[in-house]
Amino acid sequence: MALGTNTGGAGAGAGTEVPALSGAPLLGSLHDLKSDSLGTYLRAQQRHGDVVRVSAGPPGMRADLYCVFSPEGVQQVLASEAANFRKDNAFYQEVRESFGNGLLTSQDEDYLRQRRLVQPLFTRRRVDGYAGAVAAETASVVTAWEEALDGIVDVSDEMTHLALRAVARILFGTDVEATADVVARCFPVITDYVLRRGYSPANIPRNWPTPGNRRAAAAMDELYGVCDRIIGQRRRAGADASGEDLLTLLAAARSSDDGEFDDGELRDQVLIFLLAGHETTATSLCFALHLLARHPEQQDRAREEITRVLGGRPPQASDLERLPYLSQVVKEAMRLYPAAPVIGRKAVAATRIGGHTVPAGADVILAPWVTHRRPEHWPDPERFDPDRFTPEAEAGRPRYAWFPFGGGPRACIGQHFSMLESVIALAMILRAYSFEAVDAEIPVGAGITLRTEGPARCRVRRLDTPPGALASVGAPPVR
């Protein structure tokens, strides 16, 4: 195997050849990856260990994916040798072309400049100020469920609606009504388009007038249009703009060294925040509720903590630290169902990982879905057990045995917001309703984020909500 060189510490020197997952003679593992990529990666680790090569595609168009599954290998890729692993693969390019060059997709000086401008807007104190918006949108959902047909709700659909409304309210303030419907309608079209192109060995140009290209272009035009209209309104308001929504703050963000965002850069940040800010949290909320619906003992324990800490008042940001078991529920849901189940990078130089050499230019796959199921760190890994995340248990595991927010210099800037939103929403929902799973299992697949591929229905029963539990949160009209 011809390999490049690497002058960096752990990557220097030759390693043994990377073991390969066997596949079909002509197409390799292409069918397996298309039909069940998460199961394929899990099988690769179970058969061959920490670093495995998975090949897919016909001869002449075959792609080799170098999968890294150990916490130590993940740490190399995301943290200690992060500069050697870039977002240069075909999938990120498709995301970039559809959702812009924001924090998720930008690199090098573009990324550093954006991060410096955005970081002050994501301090803990600033993020805690968004708790009221989350509570308001959750109150609307809690009220709407009183009219659920036969007491059954699909928590996947409902949590997607809640998370989208919450992030749109935080981004756009009073313009939430004008944007949430557009995002809900356009995002699925665009994300499906990105997935098809990102995982295809060859693509036709985007400007060819095929039905798929035209549908995606129309969705992008509508989504970009509503963002540009609201950005224009903020710009025209100028110094008179008094809103505390994130878009207003982004438009005002500037420094002597980094300047400010122009309108195109503002739109890119908004689109990335919409993408990363609602689909990921919706996934965590959906599976936390469904797991609790299947485990009544843990559900009762979480509800007891909520009632003891909150009594009859609405939750606040400061309650995050006072609800440790509920936070553990969220973390365990993220372990079993990480919103980003697969993460891709491209190796700049050959690197030794776990005794094997990953060649220069290789497409590298990290899979939280797999690493979060390593039995040496997670005994009986498919079992739902929030006590895995007590402080003592967390201290006894490698740092990257659990990495739903990535890590290293590219760690998710919104991880505190995601935890805050999840805990507040769950606290309000569990205090108002008990849950029983209708669908015992939820089929899932890897899209841009983890996606449900079937219903996630629960039977909900209204509990006696303490007086004032939904008061003073500015609940919007019931949908």
Side-chain angles (χ1 to χ4, degrees):
M1 182 182 296
L3 300 172
T5 59
N6 185 356
T7 59
T16 60
E17 185 173 355
V18 176
L21 181 68
S22 59
L26 183 61
L27 297 178
S29 296
L30 181 62
H31 175 73
D32 292 337
L33 288 172
K34 283 191 170 185
S35 61
D36 181 15
S37 62
L38 301 178
T40 301
Y41 293 134
L42 191 61
R43 187 169 65 255
Q45 190 278 323
Q46 291 169 345
R47 292 181 180 178
H48 299 291
D50 292 340
V51 183
V52 185
R53 178 169 56 86
V54 178
S55 298
M61 300 176 66
R62 182 159 294 183
D64 287 327
L65 307 176
Y66 288 78
C67 306
V68 177
F69 299 122
S70 69
E72 296 76 16
V74 171
Q75 184 165 0
Q76 277 185 252
V77 174
L78 293 183
S80 61
E81 298 183 48
N84 190 47
F85 297 94
R86 296 171 53 81
K87 294 186 173 184
D88 283 339
N89 58 31
F91 179 75
Y92 272 114
Q93 184 57 33
E94 291 297 331
V95 176
R96 195 174 289 119
E97 291 190 28
S98 293
F99 291 102
N101 194 42
L103 272 179
L104 177 68
T105 51
S106 60
Q107 300 193 99
D108 303 324
E109 184 53 40
D110 282 347
Y111 172 77
L112 294 174
R113 172 176 171 269
Q114 291 174 20
R115 184 96 182 194
R116 289 191 296 265
L117 285 169
V118 170
Q119 187 70 60
L121 310 184
F122 280 86
T123 62
R124 183 173 292 263
R125 180 179 179 183
R126 175 71 72 180
V127 170
D128 286 350
Y130 299 138
V134 174
E137 294 299 338
T138 306
S140 177
V141 169
V142 168
T143 304
W145 284 0
E146 292 180 351
E147 300 177 3
L149 184 65
D150 296 326
I152 293 177
V153 298
D154 187 326
V155 292
S156 178
D157 291 344
E158 293 293 316
M159 293 303 98
T160 298
H161 172 86
L162 168 59
L164 173 56
R165 292 272 312 184
V167 76
R169 177 175 290 272
I170 289 163
L171 267 171
F172 299 115
T174 56
D175 290 299
V176 60
E177 302 297 340
T179 56
D181 288 345
V182 172
V183 174
R185 183 169 58 253
C186 295
F187 257 55
V189 177
I190 302 171
T191 55
D192 285 348
Y193 182 69
V194 167
L195 285 173
R196 287 196 304 272
R197 293 180 63 87
Y199 292 117
S200 173
N203 285 304
I204 62 172
R206 284 179 170 237
N207 60 0
W208 287 17
T210 65
N213 280 351
R214 293 172 65 182
R215 279 193 301 271
M220 283 185 274
D221 285 346
E222 184 177 7
L223 182 62
Y224 293 2
V226 72
C227 291
D228 289 345
R229 178 179 61 78
I230 298 172
I231 289 169
Q233 292 171 350
R234 296 294 193 278
R235 291 296 199 199
R236 287 190 293 274
D240 295 330
S242 58
E244 285 295 303
D245 59 80
L246 187 55
L247 177 56
T248 297
L249 298 175
L250 283 168
R254 56 181 53 85
S255 75
S256 56
D257 293 330
D258 298 310
E260 60 184 319
F261 290 127
D262 62 31
D263 287 359
E265 291 174 320
L266 265 182
R267 185 221 286 159
D268 287 352
Q269 299 305 329
V270 165
L271 292 173
I272 290 297
F273 289 150
L274 284 170
L275 173 66
H278 92 271
E279 291 193 350
T280 54
T281 304
T283 297
S284 300
L285 285 170
C286 164
F287 286 105
L289 283 174
H290 196 266
L291 286 163
L292 290 173
R294 292 166 49 198
H295 297 84
E297 182 178 343
Q298 286 87 343
Q299 182 182 162
D300 290 343
R301 183 176 168 185
R303 186 175 294 108
E304 184 279 327
E305 179 183 75
I306 294 163
T307 302
R308 172 168 42 83
V309 171
L310 298 182
R313 65 175 175 81
Q316 302 169 349
S318 58
D319 293 316
L320 186 63
E321 305 299 327
R322 302 188 183 108
L323 296 167
Y325 187 73
L326 192 56
S327 295
Q328 290 169 209
V329 167
V330 174
K331 289 181 176 181
E332 176 71 341
M334 290 177 173
R335 180 187 73 83
L336 285 165
Y337 298 98
V342 177
I343 298 170
R345 293 290 190 269
K346 186 174 283 290
V348 176
T351 307
R352 190 169 66 184
I353 300 177
H356 302 290
T357 300
V358 175
D363 283 308
V364 176
I365 295 294
L366 309 178
W369 182 269
V370 177
T371 306
H372 289 186
R373 286 169 165 77
R374 296 289 296 263
E376 63 268 39
H377 304 305
W378 310 101
D380 192 8
E382 296 298 334
R383 177 171 52 90
F384 174 63
D385 181 8
D387 282 330
R388 300 181 197 271
F389 288 92
T390 63
E392 298 77 16
E394 288 192 283
R397 284 191 297 269
R399 162 64 184 85
Y400 285 87
W402 183 80
F403 60 111
F405 299 110
R410 302 285 310 229
C412 175
I413 198 172
Q415 55 187 288
H416 176 58
F417 171 69
S418 178
M419 287 298 300
L420 178 74
E421 180 179 5
S422 298
V423 170
I424 285 178
L426 286 175
M428 295 180 68
I429 291 170
L430 289 170
R431 185 167 55 180
Y433 291 95
S434 66
F435 288 77
E436 178 186 351
V438 174
D439 300 299
E441 299 291 338
I442 309 172
V444 297
I448 294 180
T449 57
L450 189 72
R451 53 170 58 182
T452 58
E453 296 185 338
R457 294 170 297 176
C458 292
R459 181 169 284 105
V460 297
R461 181 173 62 85
R462 181 79 187 201
L463 303 173
D464 291 331
T465 306
L470 299 181
S472 304
V473 296
V478 177
R479 56 192 170 90

